[in-house]
């Protein structure tokens, strides 16, 4: 994706810098930055096509109007024109499809993950299970009902706050195994570049690798019932040392092993 940034600069276009409140959210993973770059590249291409096509069309309408004395020419076919207006869009589509396909394949490659978390969608909450660490919990919306009923003031993160966020370490490739317990949900955090459906009876996977500590928010992106809008996602990325401290505090103590006395009355060693 870095080559696209160079091409944009060589073409005289401004560097790709997200603007808060105007464009996509500020990306915090490499895959999210690639998505943003692809979005901007396609926007420049389609915007240029729009200006060119409509510019020519309006120029033709203005300069070939009947009131200016222009006489319309009658023709039925032009093989050269038909070939040109078929080949040019084909080449443009191929040029757009190449980076898009590469990015989709990169999104689907979760090989080399260092942390695996199972995510299960419920109506209307998320369950997180750290498969290798013995930590599991449910994450619910924590916005108070008084704010939802507009009795109290709404906070900055209205409907985007939870009681227990998903905590991950920075600089670590995290693999998500997504499924659902009832209906189809969709786990979506824009800043991480992740949007994957959670389907009952199926296990889908996705991955992300956060660059820096922070709190990143998302929502269920699938219409999953009456409380669909009350199913937020919060991911807290911590430095590796802070994450290990959080993990140690959350891990349950190992249950003591029970020993059964043999018929001879002796305890096995």
């Amino acid at each position: 994706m870095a080559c696209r940034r160079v091409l944009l600069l060589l073409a005289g276009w401004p560097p790709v810098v997200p603007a808060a409140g105007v464009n996509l959210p500020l990306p915090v993973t490499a895959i999210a930055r690639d998505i943003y770059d692809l979005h901007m590249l396609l926007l420049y291409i389609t915007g240029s096509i729009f200006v060119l096509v409509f510019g020519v069309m309006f120029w033709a309408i203005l300069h070939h109007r009947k009131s200016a004395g222009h006489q319309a020419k009658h023709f039925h076919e032009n093989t050269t024109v038909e070939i040109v207006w078929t080949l040019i869009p084909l080449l443009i589509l191929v040029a757009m499809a190449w980076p898009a396909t590469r990015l989709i394949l990169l999104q689907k490659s979760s090989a080399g993950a260092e942390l695996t978390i199972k995510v299960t969608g419920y109506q209307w909450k998320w369950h997180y299970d750290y498969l290798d660490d013995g930590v599991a919990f449910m994450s619910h919306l924590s916005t108070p009902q008084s704010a939802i009923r507009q009795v109290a003031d709404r906070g900055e993160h209205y409907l985007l706050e939870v009681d227990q966020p998903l905590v991950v370490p920075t600089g670590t490739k995290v693999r998500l195994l997504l499924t659902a317990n009832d209906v189809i949900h969709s786990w979506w955090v824009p800043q991480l570049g992740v949007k994957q459906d959670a389907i009952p009876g199926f296990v889908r996977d996705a991955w992300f690798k956060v660059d820096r500590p922070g709190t990143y928010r998302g929502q269920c992106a699938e219409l999953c019932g009456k409380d669909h809008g009350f199913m937020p996602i919060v991911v807290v990325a911590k430095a590796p040392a802070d994450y290990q401290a959080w993990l140690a505090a959350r891990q349950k103590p190992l249950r003591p092993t029970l020993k059964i006395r043999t018929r001879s009355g002796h305890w096995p060693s």
Side-chain angles (χ1 to χ4, degrees):
M1 295 299 172
C3 63
R4 285 204 299 276
R5 300 189 185 98
V6 175
L7 291 175
L8 294 177
L9 292 174
L10 292 177
W13 283 318
V16 177
V17 178
V22 177
N23 212 315
L24 300 179
L26 181 68
V28 295
T29 66
I31 197 76
R33 283 192 293 271
D34 288 348
I35 292 173
Y36 187 92
D37 289 344
L38 180 61
H39 158 73
M40 294 305 300
L41 177 64
L42 299 186
L43 181 63
Y44 287 136
I45 293 175
T46 54
S48 301
I49 294 173
F50 175 86
V51 172
L52 177 63
V53 172
F54 279 87
V56 172
M57 185 181 72
F58 289 131
W59 178 87
I61 293 173
L62 179 64
H63 290 275
H64 298 86
R65 65 189 187 277
K66 184 178 181 180
S67 61
H70 183 80
Q71 296 295 323
K73 294 182 180 180
H74 297 277
F75 62 92
H76 297 285
E77 61 181 28
N78 187 313
T79 304
T80 301
V81 171
E82 291 180 356
I83 292 175
V84 169
W85 73 29
T86 300
L87 285 181
I88 291 179
L90 177 63
L91 294 175
I92 293 174
L93 288 176
V94 171
M96 296 167 67
W98 179 267
T101 303
R102 174 187 174 277
L103 181 55
I104 290 175
L105 294 176
L106 183 61
Q107 284 182 291
K108 299 300 180 183
S109 176
S110 59
E114 303 164 84
L115 174 63
T116 301
I117 302 173
K118 181 184 176 184
V119 181
T120 306
Y122 293 82
Q123 291 177 310
W124 291 268
K125 50 190 173 291
W126 297 98
H127 183 266
Y128 298 111
D129 187 357
Y130 293 67
L131 298 181
D132 298 324
D133 300 309
V135 172
F137 55 87
M138 197 75 76
S139 180
H140 305 81
L141 172 72
S142 62
T143 299
Q145 286 296 321
S146 57
I148 295 176
R149 295 195 302 268
Q150 301 185 13
V151 176
D153 293 335
R154 299 177 178 180
E156 178 185 359
H157 303 297
Y158 174 69
L159 296 185
L160 291 175
E161 48 199 347
V162 299
D163 54 357
Q164 297 196 80
L166 177 67
V167 180
V168 298
T170 58
T172 301
K173 186 171 184 177
V174 180
R175 184 189 185 198
L176 302 178
L177 301 178
L178 295 114
T179 187
N181 187 62
D182 34 46
V183 299
I184 298 177
H185 301 277
S186 186
W187 202 87
W188 177 49
V189 181
Q191 287 185 275
L192 304 184
V194 177
K195 182 179 182 292
Q196 183 62 271
D197 285 351
I199 304 173
F202 294 85
V203 176
R204 313 287 299 278
D205 69 340
W207 68 274
F208 61 87
K209 185 176 181 180
V210 186
D211 297 336
R212 55 181 179 272
T215 301
Y216 311 106
R217 303 177 188 274
Q219 292 174 296
C220 175
E222 185 70 33
L223 185 58
C224 57
K226 71 179 184 67
D227 285 344
H228 159 68
F230 302 90
M231 194 173 173
I233 301 163
V234 178
V235 178
V236 175
K238 295 178 177 286
D242 294 334
Y243 170 77
Q244 290 299 327
W246 172 88
L247 187 63
R250 290 302 303 259
Q251 285 176 328
K252 298 177 180 179
L254 295 178
R255 182 177 298 176
T257 303
L258 297 178
K259 292 185 178 182
I260 302 176
R261 188 167 54 180
T262 63
R263 288 185 178 180
S264 61
H266 299 287
W267 295 95
S269 58

